[in-house]
Every structure is written in structure tokens, then in C-alpha cells.
Amino acid sequence: ISFNSVDNALSSLKSCQSYINTGMHITSLVAFDLVQNFNDVEDVNRMENVMLEYAAMDRELNHYMTAIEETVNQIKREKPENIPDLKSLVKEKFAALESKNSDSDLQRNEKYAYFKDQLKDMRKQFCYQSDNDNEAIEQIDEDIAVTQSQMNFICPITQMEMKRPVRNKICGHTYEEDAILKIIQTRKQQKKKVRCPKIGCSHADVKGSDLVPDEALKRAIDSQNKQ
């Protein structure tokens, strides 16, 4: 049995996934713009709902691709004499995966979880809180807040204010993107692991794949510099 057409279909589906990722990225930026400019809470909530819709599409697409891959592997393993009904087999496996769906799945979507985390940081940085946000934002002395923010703006590697901060998903610390990537590349050539440069952090294996742009922090730094 030739699976060339199936492979082509999977390739097309993976392209669709990239469109979903792009949509989630754009939606995130729009939501951050809304928070930064103190726009209506309802507008931000709508962006959160859009992100959940994208997360649902991502889950459905992943289930469909999994169903196809499992069906192909099953046929390759069993090697039936007659060509089976691929469509029915995929539909059956897809339905089984979808039957296990829950709202918590969407909350655990990596991009949605990151979006929520960044949104919370944006609200703190720009002194903003939505009506349905149960997490109270602590009100502290303005001078202390400014000093603390400025400390958070400094890269632990360069000891300079960050221009393109990235956050380590594992330990939560931030660094200047170029600086941490150079260290990772150098240690890789030496076949050594990279310890988190933040003093006191025990994380001893920083990887490039664990780094994500910290949009909330970048906007806070840019905002202070404009002031």
C-alpha cells in the first residue's frame, strides 16, 4: 500500500497548524496592545476567547493528525491483504480522541498558558486589572515599584538593560536574547550544559528551546524609556 497521498495530506495539515500559531501570536499582540493602552476590559476578554478558540482548533487538528498517523502505523504493522477503509478507520480513532476532550485541555495549551501568563504580567506592569481577574494586584510604594522594575530590566549576563528579553520556561528567569544564546552556543561546542546565569538559581541545563520572548517585560522597558 502506498501512503504518499497520506503523507501529503499530513504535510498540508501541518501547514494549517502554522497558520493557527500565527493567529495566536497576532491575537496575543492585540491583547497586549489593549492592556497597554487601557482599553475596555471587554475587548481584552474577547481576545482571550479568540485564543481559546485557536487552542480548540489546535487540539482538533492534533487529534486528526494523530488519528491518521495511528491508522497508517496500524496498517503497516498488520499488513492486511485487502486495502482497508482508511477514512472509516481515521474517523473512528479521531472520534475516540475527541471524546476525551475537556476544558482543562485548552487551559493547558502551551501557547494559551503562555498568553495568560504574559497577560497577567502586562496587567501588573501597566497597573491594570480586569473585572473578572480574582488575583489582586498588590499596591506598593511608587519609588519601591520603580526600583524593583528597574532591577527586573537588567540582564543577569550583560548587567545592562535588556532590549530583547527572553524568559526561561523552566525557571522563569529572563535574559537578553543574544547574550544567553551566545552562552548556549559556546557551551554546546564545549559539550557542556548551561547553568542559569541568575544568581541563586539551581537550574543547570538551560536550552534554547526553553526560551520564549517576554513581550510584557519588553513593553514595560520600552514604556519606561519613553517616559
Side-chain angles (χ1 to χ4, degrees), residues 23 40 54 101 168 198:
D40 197 319
Y54 273 124
N101 286 349
N168 190 322
K198 187 74 173 180

Side-chain angles (χ1 to χ4, degrees), residues 109-111 113-115 117-118 166-175 196 201 203 205-214:
N109 177 281
E110 185 176 359
K111 283 187 171 54
Y114 173 69
F115 163 76
D117 185 51
Q118 288 279 282
V166 289
R167 181 188 296 181
N168 190 322
K169 292 188 291 184
I170 307 301
C171 64
H173 293 126
T174 53
Y175 335 96
C196 175
C201 183
H203 183 48
D205 190 13
V206 180
K207 298 176 181 175
S209 57
D210 294 329
L211 305 176
V212 291
D214 196 325

Side-chain angles (χ1 to χ4, degrees), residues 163-184:
K163 291 183 173 61
R164 295 179 63 183
V166 289
R167 181 188 296 181
N168 190 322
K169 292 188 291 184
I170 307 301
C171 64
H173 293 126
T174 53
Y175 335 96
E176 180 65 53
E177 183 177 31
D178 288 344
I180 188 65
L181 289 178
K182 283 179 181 177
I183 291 177
I184 291 173

